[in-house]
Amino acid sequence: MVNAGTRDKDLAWIRRQREASGVEVIERTDLAMLAIPGPRGTCQGGAALERRRFRRRARAAHVRGREIGGWFVARTGYTGEDGFEIMMPAADAVPAWRRLNSFGVASCGLGARDTLRLEAGMNLYGNDMDESTQPFESGLGWTVAMEPRERAFIGREALEPIARGGSPRKLVGLLLTDRGVLRSHQRVLIPGGGEGEITSGTFSPTLERSIAFARVPAGTGAAVQVDVRGKLLNARVVKPPFVRFGQSLIGSSKGPL
């Protein structure tokens, strides 16, 4: 399933790979998907029953590989919280959405999703990674299986020297200790010299302070400064995720701003 914002170029890339393999590519524009995230988003009244049904059926689908009444229910999502993604015929999407709303499931937009995925330490394409970056400088080295050595995949030749020698840059989490809000493209100044850049930043409602991802030199230590509108603000370098299941994973994150 491709990202809606990158649909055209993703499909173009897939079709280019098809030419060498003889695989037929058919785009299914007759399908839609609803994302239902949040561990407490569907826990009241009729929604609790609906959630238990989804959970039982999703578990059965995972074990036996079955669709559920023409829908495919997956325990996936991009908010870092428990939830579901439901693939269904496009004609079912609006009635299903309205039925969920009637159970008390609140609709939310991409702004809420973006805050949650950053708290959960999840990259966003176009911000934290794109065609100009490689996985080892984007916190995604864990997704690349360089072993066994004979395993072939697209991009291996370009990644092998980086895997051997180390990436000159890395993606880190930042927790702002001064008052302010971190945003994309702000400069990150490294003590002793060197610079980086914030790739994603926001105010975390869970931590009650600003957090960010930043791409910085590999040797960056535990503290940096961020240029926010010409003022240098102090930030701690931390390891994402910042939040899991609604609880802070960052030690001593509370305190006066």
Side-chain angles (χ1 to χ4, degrees):
M1 181 176 298
V2 300
N3 184 292
T6 59
R7 168 184 169 272
D8 291 341
K9 64 180 177 182
D10 285 348
L11 286 173
W13 184 89
I14 291 170
R15 286 170 177 146
R16 287 198 301 272
Q17 313 316 311
R18 172 197 62 183
E19 295 171 2
S21 64
V23 172
E24 184 179 11
V25 178
I26 302 173
E27 183 183 7
R28 293 292 304 273
T29 57
D30 58 314
L31 299 176
M33 186 189 77
L34 298 183
I36 312 171
R40 294 179 299 275
T42 56
C43 62
Q44 299 296 325
L49 176 60
E50 198 75 4
R51 182 177 177 81
R52 287 194 293 271
R53 288 172 179 166
F54 276 146
R55 191 183 299 276
R56 286 197 303 270
R57 293 175 181 177
R59 188 177 295 117
H62 175 74
V63 172
R64 296 192 289 269
R66 297 189 316 183
E67 291 186 359
I68 303 170
W71 293 9
F72 184 81
V73 180
R75 296 298 308 279
T76 56
Y78 216 71
T79 64
E81 296 287 3
D82 192 10
F84 305 95
E85 287 184 325
I86 307 176
M87 281 63 76
M88 62 186 68
D92 292 351
V94 171
W97 184 286
R98 289 175 176 166
R99 183 167 174 79
L100 287 165
N101 287 160
S102 74
F103 285 139
V105 179
S107 302
C108 68
L110 291 178
R113 190 284 310 266
D114 193 48
T115 297
L116 288 170
R117 68 91 192 169
L118 184 52
E119 285 190 338
M122 295 177 169
N123 285 22
L124 180 65
Y125 176 84
N127 287 49
D128 313 301
M129 58 181 181
D130 58 24
E131 293 94 335
S132 70
T133 60
Q134 39 89 356
F136 298 110
E137 64 180 3
S138 303
L140 296 172
W142 61 273
T143 69
V144 182
M146 303 300 295
E147 298 293 338
R149 293 185 178 181
E150 62 272 17
R151 179 177 178 269
F153 58 89
I154 296 172
R156 183 181 184 104
E157 291 183 0
L159 293 177
E160 279 184 332
I162 304 173
R164 287 194 304 267
S167 175
R169 301 188 298 176
K170 63 183 179 179
L171 192 72
V172 300
L174 297 184
L175 180 71
L176 191 65
T177 55
D178 289 331
R179 181 184 294 274
V181 178
L182 301 177
R183 299 294 186 195
S184 301
H185 306 302
Q186 291 171 340
R187 281 196 313 148
V188 178
L189 281 72
I190 315 302
E195 289 189 8
E197 183 180 47
I198 288 181
T199 57
S200 291
T202 192
F203 182 83
S204 165
T206 305
L207 301 181
E208 298 181 0
R209 62 180 63 233
S210 194
I211 59 174
F213 282 152
R215 186 168 285 109
V216 296
T220 299
V224 297
Q225 289 185 310
V226 182
D227 185 344
V228 179
R229 298 181 180 179
K231 184 177 181 180
L232 295 182
L233 302 182
N234 295 305
R236 287 171 50 196
V237 176
V238 299
K239 183 179 179 180
F242 302 91
V243 174
R244 181 60 51 86
F245 304 124
Q247 300 298 316
S248 170
L249 296 182
I250 307 300
S252 303
S253 63
K254 298 293 184 180
L257 293 177

